Amino acid sequence: SICQTTGCPAPSARFETWEVSLVTFPANGVPCAQCAVRNAIESGRNSFVQRKDILPDGSARYIDDYAIPLKKDGEESFDYILEIMLNRTEEMRLRERTNELFLHIVETLVAVLDKKDAYTSVHSRDVSAISSKLTRYLGFGDEAVFIATLGGLLHDIGKVYIPDAVINKPSRLNNEEYELICNHPVDSYAILGD
């Protein structure tokens, strides 16, 4: 039988989060464009594909798809491919939700800093933009750019502990006030942790 979602042969065994199929040749269906089975057929080697299938109802299904050609001893050709599909949908939905919550927390921290001191907030946004552009210019990957962007936004978050009278003082700071200002990076680290 053919899988109605992907056009590939339907799994011969289903479990809670994974499915196993033994695909024979010629296959009864046409493998989809992002298919580990297709890659294994074309290369003759093990194949792995992470994919996001959009189902007819518009929902998404996240799959880790493994395909392993089963060769007879001493032969290069194969008659079967073992396909194992791990359903990662719940894990990916949880990861997406966690990312959404994380970004909401960052937005909240930036809003708190903006409310506390508009100058520092603008400064932090500028540092974030420069850090992002510099990191990308230097050829670091997307993860490093993301971290530099966040670091720029949040590097002064420790200033929320400094009294308004000190942050907005129009005259010269005394030694105690200056010490408070100098300690804000330590407070930033305490807020953000490792």
Side-chain angles (χ1 to χ4, degrees):
S1 67
I2 306 300
C3 174
Q4 297 302 310
T5 304
T6 63
C8 293
S12 53
R14 287 182 191 264
F15 301 92
E16 188 172 331
T17 59
W18 56 285
E19 302 171 357
V20 178
S21 297
L22 193 59
V23 182
T24 58
F25 294 96
N28 296 332
V30 177
C32 53
Q34 262 194 337
C35 182
V37 172
R38 174 186 295 239
N39 295 346
I41 291 168
E42 292 172 357
S43 70
R45 290 190 260 157
N46 295 353
S47 176
F48 169 70
V49 173
Q50 288 183 311
R51 67 177 199 253
K52 178 180 179 180
D53 297 336
I54 304 300
L55 302 177
D57 66 359
S59 65
R61 181 177 77 159
Y62 297 88
I63 300 293
D64 285 358
D65 194 0
Y66 300 86
I68 305 160
L70 302 177
K71 300 178 182 180
K72 295 179 182 174
D73 289 338
E75 293 186 25
E76 286 301 310
S77 63
F78 50 89
D79 296 322
Y80 303 96
I81 289 186
L82 176 65
E83 182 179 31
I84 302 170
M85 295 189 299
L86 299 173
N87 187 339
R88 293 281 171 82
T89 303
E90 291 306 315
E91 175 186 339
M92 294 305 290
R93 284 183 184 152
L94 180 60
R95 183 175 293 165
E96 287 174 355
R97 182 67 181 132
T98 301
N99 288 343
E100 289 170 11
L101 289 171
F102 174 75
L103 291 176
H104 180 71
I105 290 168
V106 170
E107 289 169 359
T108 302
L109 288 171
V110 169
V112 166
L113 188 57
D114 190 33
K115 184 91 168 149
K116 175 75 173 178
D117 179 25
Y119 169 80
T120 299
S121 178
V122 170
H123 162 74
S124 293
R125 291 173 200 274
D126 290 344
V127 170
S128 178
I130 292 167
S131 299
S132 173
K133 289 176 183 175
L134 183 60
T135 307
R136 189 168 305 285
Y137 174 79
L138 292 173
F140 292 102
D142 290 341
E143 184 176 347
V145 172
F146 179 74
I147 290 169
T149 302
L150 283 179
L153 278 175
L154 300 175
H155 78 280
D156 275 341
I157 195 67
K159 286 187 176 180
V160 298
Y161 289 134
I162 300 172
D164 291 343
V166 174
I167 285 193
N168 298 317
K169 186 174 180 179
S171 60
R172 185 179 176 107
L173 300 174
N174 64 35
N175 288 343
E176 185 180 311
E177 294 165 336
Y178 182 73
E179 189 69 28
L180 282 172
I181 295 289
C182 288
N183 282 332
H184 84 270
V186 174
D187 294 331
S188 295
Y189 180 81
I191 292 169
L192 300 174
D194 300 292

